[in-house]
């Protein structure tokens, strides 16, 4: 939690105003932020200085793992996080490849589970990683990437969190997650939950011990219409201690996650928080 607050304060103290072409808004911006999450000690990195809707963050992660490409599927899983980008992004609405309402195109989980090869066949990046880790193999390329420049125009949004690299030392699994851009008041709340949960979940289904999750952000920013709420409300509140995440131990395989796992299989214990803050969201 302190890492999050320190980054917010750094942006306010050192940030530079940058005009964002996609949204038409200014962002107070810094370059390079490194965060770490202790998954081994189960210190769940959830925001406590405002209420965090952690279930929606995990629902989105499950949708990525399942390779969803439709906002309706994400809603059914338990999150509305893709509604706006699928249905209110004017550039995407004008794109002739869009299949209709709720279509997201070839973004995030589609690339992770069905990367299109030159011969037209698909590559399942995540399955290769899980298979290797189950066998105790780390080929120094256990990389899950959603960043496919050749297909940017086929999706409603370029991936922000774009690459997850798994590393195995003995029986301990580590994760390094790379993010090109981060809306800190809103997006980082989701992102840090997902990085932590991804390592915990993949460690569980590959029968490994989770270690540390490393989270690197290149462009960290606060939008101009979020700044006053961050400065005068959230940063004036004292944080609470980190809660714990508990995952149903019956989840043992990637197939389990793809078929029967729901939000009921995740519990957060000991979560204390301040009141919610309604930060504006920029499409």
């Amino acid at each position: 939690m302190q890492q999050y607050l320190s980054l917010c304060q750094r942006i306010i103290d050192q940030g530079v105003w940058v005009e964002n072409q996609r949204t038409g808004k200014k962002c107070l911006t810094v370059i390079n932020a490194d965060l770490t999450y202790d998954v081994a000690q189960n210190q769940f990195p959830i925001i406590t200085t405002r209420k965090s809707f952690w279930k929606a963050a995990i629902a989105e992660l499950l949708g990525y793992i399942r390779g969803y490409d439709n906002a309706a599927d994400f809603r059914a899983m338990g999150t509305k996080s893709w509604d706006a980008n699928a249905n209110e992004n004017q550039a995407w609405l004008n794109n002739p490849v869009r299949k209709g309402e709720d279509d997201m195109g070839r973004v995030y989980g589609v690339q992770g589970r069905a990367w299109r090869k030159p011969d037209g066949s698909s590559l399942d990046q995540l399955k290769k990683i899980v298979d290797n880790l189950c066998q105790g193999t780390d080929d120094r390329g256990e990389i899950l990437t959603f960043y496919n420049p050749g297909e940017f125009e086929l999706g409603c949004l370029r991936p922000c969190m774009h690459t997850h690299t798994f590393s195995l030392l003995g029986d301990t699994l580590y994760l390094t997650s790379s993010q090109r851009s981060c809306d800190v008041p809103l997006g980082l709340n989701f992102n840090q939950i997902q990085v932590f949960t991804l390592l915990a979940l993949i460690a569980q289904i590959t029968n490994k011990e989770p270690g540390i999750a490393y989270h690197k952000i290149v462009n960290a920013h606060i939008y101009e219409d979020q700044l006053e709420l961050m400065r005068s409300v959230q940063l004036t509140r004292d944080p609470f201690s980190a809660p714990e995440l508990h995952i149903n131990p019956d989840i043992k395989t990637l197939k389990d996650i793809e078929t029967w796992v729901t939000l009921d299989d995740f519990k957060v214990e000991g979560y204390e928080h301040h009141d919610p803050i309604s930060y504006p969201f920029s499409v």
Side-chain angles (χ1 to χ4, degrees), residues 8-24:
C8 293
Q9 191 64 57
R10 176 186 159 206
I11 294 171
I12 290 173
D13 293 342
Q14 303 175 16
V16 174
W17 285 109
V18 176
E19 187 79 28
N20 182 256
Q21 185 176 11
R22 179 175 63 87
T23 62

Side-chain angles (χ1 to χ4, degrees), residues 21 24 31 41 48 56 66 68 105 130-131 136 139 161 166 171 202 208 211 224 233 235 245 265:
Q21 185 176 11
I31 300 301
Q41 298 301 316
T48 63
R66 292 183 175 186
Y68 286 164
V130 170
D131 287 348
D139 66 6
M161 176 76 72
F166 293 91
D171 287 327
I202 298 302
K208 299 296 181 288
E224 57 185 326
V233 181
L235 284 177
L245 174 69
D265 296 296

Side-chain angles (χ1 to χ4, degrees), residues 113-128:
R113 301 306 308 273
W115 183 284
R116 189 175 290 152
K117 297 169 68 174
D119 63 4
S121 62
S122 293
L123 172 67
D124 188 337
Q125 300 179 65
L126 183 57
K127 186 177 185 302
K128 174 264 184 185

Side-chain angles (χ1 to χ4, degrees), residues 74-253:
F74 280 91
R75 287 197 299 275
M77 182 61 71
T79 180
K80 297 180 179 180
S81 57
W82 280 95
D83 286 7
N85 282 311
N87 298 308
E88 298 176 23
N89 179 340
Q90 195 58 51
W92 178 239
L93 296 178
N94 295 338
N95 193 320
V97 304
R98 183 174 182 265
K99 299 174 184 177
E101 184 177 2
D102 287 328
D103 180 43
M104 296 159 46
R106 291 186 56 78
V107 296
Y108 282 93
V110 178
Q111 301 293 348
R113 301 306 308 273
W115 183 284
R116 189 175 290 152
K117 297 169 68 174
D119 63 4
S121 62
S122 293
L123 172 67
D124 188 337
Q125 300 179 65
L126 183 57
K127 186 177 185 302
K128 174 264 184 185
I129 293 168
V130 170
D131 287 348
N132 276 4
L133 294 177
C134 283
Q135 297 168 16
T137 298
D138 175 1
D139 66 6
R140 303 179 187 173
E142 306 302 344
I143 298 172
L144 175 67
T145 184
F146 308 134
Y147 206 77
N148 187 346
E151 294 194 341
F152 282 164
E153 74 281 4
L154 302 182
C156 64
L157 183 71
R158 286 183 301 164
C160 296
M161 176 76 72
H162 58 80
T163 302
H164 300 286
T165 303
F166 293 91
S167 302
L168 190 60
L169 295 179
D171 287 327
T172 302
L173 186 64
Y174 298 83
L175 174 62
T176 304
S177 297
S178 302
Q179 185 166 356
R180 66 172 179 85
S181 173
C182 184
D183 174 342
V184 171
L186 284 177
L188 184 51
N189 181 43
F190 263 44
N191 299 142
Q192 58 189 20
I193 288 172
Q194 291 171 345
V195 170
F196 183 100
T197 305
L198 181 61
L199 176 55
L201 199 53
I202 298 302
Q204 180 167 308
I205 66 173
T206 58
N207 199 28
K208 299 296 181 288
E209 293 297 323
I212 301 294
Y214 301 94
H215 183 184
K216 175 175 281 292
I217 302 168
V218 177
N219 183 302
H221 52 266
I222 300 173
Y223 279 98
E224 57 185 326
D225 53 6
Q226 301 170 330
L227 184 58
E228 188 55 33
L229 283 171
M230 175 59 73
R231 185 173 2 201
S232 64
V233 181
Q234 189 161 4
L235 284 177
T236 66
R237 297 172 171 177
D238 293 326
F240 295 102
S241 299
E244 294 184 345
L245 174 69
H246 297 284
I247 301 174
N248 183 350
D250 290 336
I251 302 174
K252 299 182 183 301
T253 67

Side-chain angles (χ1 to χ4, degrees), residues 38-49:
D38 193 341
V39 185
Q41 298 301 316
N42 201 2
Q43 296 178 355
F44 193 50
I46 193 170
I47 302 303
T48 63
T49 48

